[in-house]
C-alpha cells in the first residue's frame, strides 16, 4: 500500500489488497519485505502522501490539494483557487492487479468534504460534477460520486460513475470502505478542511507580525461591525 | 464562489448561487471558465480566505479574525484584543446579483463560536450585540443573529436582524445552509477557536525556547497549585 | 473579560460578568470603550491568553501550561515535566467585583483533561489532588474539582473545594458554565491536549530533518515490533 | 509516570500505578518529590513523549512514529515509510514493579488507528499482525491486540497476545483504561493521524512557496478531473 509510486509507472501492476477486509478484520503486514527498492519519484507534486485502499474491484486514493494564493501589492494574501480533496479511482484488472491508466478523478470541494465528514452511520450522500459545466461541452461528461452505508452499518460503499458522451464511455467504480477506513477519511478530511479553505494561514500570520506594540492599530481587525 | 474579490469592487454584481441547494444536491462546477482574470486585490487584510455561500435572498461570508497581542518588556505576550469569527451578510438584489455595499457584520465571540459548534441537529441559538453598549448611544443599534434548524433537520437557517434607530433602518437577512455547509462552518470554526483565543501560541512557544537544560526552572510552569 | 491583566494588579477590582448568562443569552458588547488603556504586563509568562468567565459568585480562568523538555546529548528530546491545563478560581466580593488575591489553582493532568472533554451532557466527574501527597504534609491540603450537569442539561456547574488543615481554611467556588462556554473549554482543551503531552513535537520534527535520502535508515522508526 | 526514561535503564523497577483507578477516581499527585533527578537520556529518538498508564498487571505506553519521506530530484516529497502509533506493553512483576525488558510492541497502522478512534462506547475491535508475514517464517509469530468495552461501559480493556512458535512463548497483557484515559488516546491519536499519514505536510507547504504570482500555474493543482 505504501509504494503507490510504483503504480504510477505501470499500467498493469500488482496491487496489495487489504486481505483482512473480507474477514472484517484488519491485517497489517510487515512492510520489511516490500519496501526494499525506493523509487526515484519525479513528478512535480510537492506532497505525495495519499491514503489508499485496495479492494476487490477497484482502488481508491485520497489526497488533499491546497489552494493557491495571490499576493496583493499591499502584502496581503487572498485565495485564488480553492483547494480540494482529490478522490482517485482505478479498476482492478485481475487478482491484485490494478490499472492506474484507467483512473478517474473527482475533486471534492469544501462543502462536499463537509458533507462527507458529517455523515452519520446511516446517512448517504451524492455529488454531481460536470467538468465542462460553463463551456459548450456542458452536459457531455457527467460524474457522480455516491457514499452509501452498508446495510449492517459498519462501513460505506463509495462509488464513482463517469458518463462521457464524447468518448462514449461509462466508467463505474465501487469501493467498500470499513468503519476504520472511513474514520481515517473523516479525520484526515476534517484536518485537511481548514487547509483547503486557506484558514490555516491563521497560524502562519503570528510568525509574520501579528504582535503589535501598544500604539499600533491592527488593520486586519476592523471595527466594521460597529460602523453601521 | 471563489472570486469574492470581484464582489468587493462592484455594488451590483453577478453572484454565483449554489444551484444545487434547491435539489438537495451539491453541484461543483468547473472553475476553469471563471477564474481567468485575477484581480489585483489591495485591501490590507493579510488573510482573505472567507467561506461564502450564495443563496436566494442573501449571501453569507465567514472569516476568522485573529487576536492581537501586546509584547511585554519581559518578552512575554498577552492577548490585547480577542479574535472573533466575522459573519458578513449582504442581500440579493436580483437573480444571482448581490449588493455587497449593503452588507452587515456580526463578530462572533469565542463563547458564541462555542455555542455554534455545539449545536445539535434540533438545537437553535440566538446572539444579541449592541455595538454602542457602553456609550451614550447604547440601545440605538441592535443586532441579533439566530441559528434555527430546518424542520426536516437537514440544515439550518442563519438570519441576521439589524435595527438601527439612528438611521431608521431595519435590515434582515436569511441564509439557509445545508448540512454539508454547516459542517464546514462547524469544522472551520472549531479549527479557528484556539486561534482566536490565542492558544495556538502553544505551538509556537516550542520554537522559541521551551527546551530547558537540566538546571533551569521554567518560570512559565509555576508550582502555584501547591503553594496554597 | 479581555483585560484580565488588570485583575492581577488589584485585589479588589471591578469584574465584567457575563450579563447575558442570567437570560440564557450571550451578549457580546463592543470592546471599543473598554480596551483604550493597554497595560504594561510584565510577568514572565510567555503566553497569557486565558479563557475566563465571570459569574455571580466566582470567576474561572483556564490556561494551558506546556511541558518542559530535556535535551539529550544525542539531540533528542524527552518530556521532563508534563504540561497541564490550569484552572484558576477566585471569588466575587461584591457586585461585579472579584478578588484575585484569594484565588485557588487546580492543574488538570492529561488524563483529567481527557475526562473533561469526553463528558456527555448528563455525565459528571470529580478529581482529587493532594499537593503534598508524597511529603510529610500528605493529607493536610485536599482539593477536589467537580463538574456536574445542570438539571436542565444545558450547561455544567464547575466547583472547586480546597480544605487546608494547616491554615484551617475551607474555600469553595462554584461557577456555572453554559453549553457554549463548555464547548469552548472542550474544544480548547482538545486542542491543547496533544500540546501538553508533547505530541505536537510531531509537527516540528519535519522541519528538523525527517526527510531522508534513499540510503539512510531512520533510527526513530525501529522495527522493534518485528524483533520479537 | 513522567520518568519513563528510568524504566528503560532497569529491568526491575518501581512503577507508579494510577492508584485512583480502582476507585473510579483520578488522582494527580504532586510531581515535585519525584522529578528531582533528571536522567541523561541518550537514545536517538528525537521525540520521547509517550502517554503511559500503569495498571495492576501491566503498563501500556503509546507513542506516535512519523513517516519518513523520500525527496525527489524535482524537489517534491513522497511518503517512503508510513508512520504508526506504537503501543508498548510490559508486565508487572510485583507491587508497583514493572519489567520493561519483557515488553512487546504493536505498531498500529493508519487504518487501525482509524478503528480505534471511531469506537463507540459498546464497540470492540481486534487487530492481527504477523511480523514475518511475507517471509519464510510467516505464521510463526502471531500478535493480536483487542479493545473491548467494560461491561459497565465506562472504559475499555486493551489486551495484547503474542504467540511465538519459534521461542515457544505466549505473552499476554491486559490493561484496563478508564473513559478519561481512552479519551486521551482517542484525542491524541486523532491528532497524530494526519501526521503519521504525512498530511501535515499541507501546513508546511505554505511556508515553502505556495503563494503564486498572477501568471504562474501551480503544478500541484492539476485540472485532471476535467481532462477525462
Amino acid at each position: 500500500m505504501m509504494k503507490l509510486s510504483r503504480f504510477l509507472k505501470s499500467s498493469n501492476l500488482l496491487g496489495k489488497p487489504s486481505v483482512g477486509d473480507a474477514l472484517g478484520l484488519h491485517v497489517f503486514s510487515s512492510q520489511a519485505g516490500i519496501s526494499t527498492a525506493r523509487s526515484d519519484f519525479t513528478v512535480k507534486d510537492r506532497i505525495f502522501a495519499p491514503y489508499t485502499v485496495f479492494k476487490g474491484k477497484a482502488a481508491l486514493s485520497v489526497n488533499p490539494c491546497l489552494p493557491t494564493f495571490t499576493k496583493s501589492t499591499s502584502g496581503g494574501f487572498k485565495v485564488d483557487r480553492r483547494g480540494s480533496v482529490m478522490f482517485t479511482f482505478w479498476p482492478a484488472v485481475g487478482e491484485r492487479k490494478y490499472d492506474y491508466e484507467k483512473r478517474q478523478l473527482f475533486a471534492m470541494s469544501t462543502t462536499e468534504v463537509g458533507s462527507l465528514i458529517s455523515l452519520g452511520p446511516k446517512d448517504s450522500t451524492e455529488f454531481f460534477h460536470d467538468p465542462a459545466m460553463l463551456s459548450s461541452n456542458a452536459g457531455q461528461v457527467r460524474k457522480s460520486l455516491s457514499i452509501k452505508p452498508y446495510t449492517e452499518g459498519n462501513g460505506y460503499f463509495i462509488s464513482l460513475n463517469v458518463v462521457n458522451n464524447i468518448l462514449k464511455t461509462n466508467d463505474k467504480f465501487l469501493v467498500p470502505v470499513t468503519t476504520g477506513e472511513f474514520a481515517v477519511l473523516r479525520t484526515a478530511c476534517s484536518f485537511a478542511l481548514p487547509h483547503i479553505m486557506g484558514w490555516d494561514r491563521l497560524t502562519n500570520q503570528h510568525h509574520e507580525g501579528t504582535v503589535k506594540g501598544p500604539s499600533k492599530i491592527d488593520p486586519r481587525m476592523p471595527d466594521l461591525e460597529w460602523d453601521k
Side-chain angles (χ1 to χ4, degrees), chain A residues 53-60 89-92 98 146-148 150 156-161 171-177:
Chain A
V53 291
F54 294 91
K55 296 303 171 79
K57 296 186 175 172
L60 166 61
F89 297 79
W90 63 108
Y98 298 87
S146 84
I147 308 177
K148 288 175 184 164
Y150 292 174
Y156 294 88
F157 290 108
I158 302 182
S159 59
L160 178 69
N161 191 10
D171 292 329
K172 293 182 180 181
F173 305 89
L174 180 68
V175 177
V177 297

Side-chain angles (χ1 to χ4, degrees), chain A residues 1 21 88 108-109 114 121 123 152 165-166 168 190 207 215:
Chain A
M1 250 191 268
D21 293 317
T88 304
M108 300 271 272
S109 71
D123 294 340
E152 324 90 81
N165 289 334
I166 302 168
K168 310 292 181 199
S190 297
H207 296 286
S215 62

Side-chain angles (χ1 to χ4, degrees), chain A residues 20 28 39 58 64 92 101 121 182:
Chain A
F28 183 56
S39 74
E101 291 299 310
F182 196 76

Side-chain angles (χ1 to χ4, degrees), chain A residues 68-218:
Chain A
T68 56
F69 290 86
T70 302
K71 196 172 190 170
S72 75
T73 53
S74 62
F77 298 101
K78 68 183 186 66
V79 170
D80 176 56
R81 186 174 182 169
R82 282 204 184 264
S84 61
V85 177
M86 188 66 80
F87 279 57
T88 304
F89 297 79
W90 63 108
V93 292
E95 198 183 346
R96 298 191 180 190
K97 289 188 178 181
Y98 298 87
D99 187 350
Y100 193 72
E101 291 299 310
K102 293 185 178 165
R103 68 188 176 279
Q104 289 284 1
L105 306 176
F106 197 92
M108 300 271 272
S109 71
T110 299
T111 300
E112 289 164 348
V113 170
S115 293
L116 182 149
I117 63 177
S118 62
L119 278 182
K122 294 183 179 177
D123 294 340
S124 58
T125 190
E126 188 161 13
F127 311 119
F128 297 92
H129 286 190
D130 178 352
M133 199 184 190
L134 297 180
S135 77
S136 58
N137 284 327
Q140 296 288 48
V141 178
R142 282 174 294 121
K143 298 183 175 188
S144 65
L145 185 146
S146 84
I147 308 177
K148 288 175 184 164
Y150 292 174
T151 324
E152 324 90 81
N154 56 344
Y156 294 88
F157 290 108
I158 302 182
S159 59
L160 178 69
N161 191 10
V162 180
V163 176
N164 189 321
N165 289 334
I166 302 168
L167 301 176
K168 310 292 181 199
T169 57
N170 186 346
D171 292 329
K172 293 182 180 181
F173 305 89
L174 180 68
V175 177
V177 297
T178 64
T179 302
E181 289 162 347
F182 196 76
V184 173
L185 285 185
R186 188 195 303 274
T187 303
C189 286
S190 297
F191 171 83
L193 193 64
H195 296 272
I196 67 175
M197 296 169 71
W199 282 33
D200 59 324
R201 284 281 167 165
L202 279 168
T203 314
N204 300 350
Q205 282 195 316
H206 286 316
H207 296 286
E208 295 167 11
T210 303
V211 176
K212 297 289 166 189
S215 62
K216 287 169 70 181
I217 301 302
D218 184 355

